[in-house]
Every structure is written in C-alpha cells, then in structure tokens.
Amino acid sequence: QVQLVESGGGLVQPGGSLRLSCAASGSIFSINTMGWFRQAPGQERELVATSTTGGRTNYANPVKGRFTISRDNAKNTVYLQMNSLKPEDTAVYYCNAQIRSRAYTSWVDYWGQGTQVTVSS
C-alpha cells in the first residue's frame, strides 16, 4: 500500500504565504512525477504544478511567479511554497504522485486526501 499525506493548509490573508508538504510512504520502489492539483467549490480539479524526478517543473499560468514546487527525493516528499496568495487561490489542494511499487511494473497514480487552503481577510 502507498499513502500520500499532506500538511500545511489553513487560513491566510490575501498577500500571505503558505507552504504545503506531501510525503509518500509505503510500498515504494520508485517515484516519477509528483505534483499538486486544486479544486475549488463547484469547479473541476485543475493542475497547479508538477515536478519530475530530474527537477523539471511545470506551472499553471495563474500561479506562475507566485508558487514554487520542490521535492526531496530522499524523503519522497514534495512541497509547494505559495506566496502572494489571492482569494481565487482558495481551494482544496491535492498531492499527486506516479509510483511504482516494484521494478518493471506500471506507474500508478496516487492521491492525497486533500488539504484546505482559504485566502480571506
């Protein structure tokens, strides 16, 4: 079994910062891409940022220049530093990782349980 456990969400004022963490644990042989998605009420889940094992990153246009994704491969952990937060960033943020539990098996998508981020004065 594989688990992704997120932490770091909360309530913050506009212009503030938060740092999300997501640690993968369990039966892990290797991890490919890790990333963050978010889902606001009444909207579909959308990509926020991704990071490959080699360090290549990709960001959604609304968060470019404000959010930074990073990862610690030794700890199987991905982070999302969110600066200059806006009310429209309010959503449940989900961690995602592509994981192999054994060699020569297919990559499987795993999701965290989600952490609420609320940006409000």
Side-chain angles (χ1 to χ4, degrees), residues 39-106:
Q39 188 168 18
Q43 297 187 21
E44 294 188 353
R45 191 174 297 189
E46 63 178 9
L47 170 74
V48 176
T50 59
S51 174
T52 67
T53 304
R56 181 184 300 178
T57 58
N58 180 53
Y59 295 92
N61 286 333
V63 308
K64 283 182 179 177
R66 301 188 297 122
F67 291 10
T68 302
I69 188 171
S70 61
R71 58 192 284 180
D72 184 334
N73 292 326
K75 296 182 179 180
N76 293 336
T77 300
V78 64
Y79 306 95
L80 185 68
Q81 178 66 43
M82 305 185 293
N83 299 329
S84 303
L85 282 160
K86 305 175 181 180
E88 50 264 44
D89 294 318
T90 295
V92 177
Y93 283 69
Y94 295 91
C95 173
N96 169 265
Q98 298 172 341
I99 296 174
R100 278 177 171 166
S101 293
R102 292 190 301 276
Y104 311 113
T105 58
S106 299

Side-chain angles (χ1 to χ4, degrees), residues 1-7 21-25 31 33-39 44-50 78 92-99 107-115:
Q1 290 283 19
V2 173
Q3 284 187 320
L4 300 183
V5 179
E6 299 138 339
S7 60
S21 300
C22 172
S25 63
I31 301 178
T33 299
M34 301 184 81
W36 292 93
F37 291 71
R38 67 186 181 186
Q39 188 168 18
E44 294 188 353
R45 191 174 297 189
E46 63 178 9
L47 170 74
V48 176
T50 59
V78 64
V92 177
Y93 283 69
Y94 295 91
C95 173
N96 169 265
Q98 298 172 341
I99 296 174
W107 297 106
V108 177
D109 264 331
Y110 290 91
W111 294 90
Q113 79 283 359
T115 185

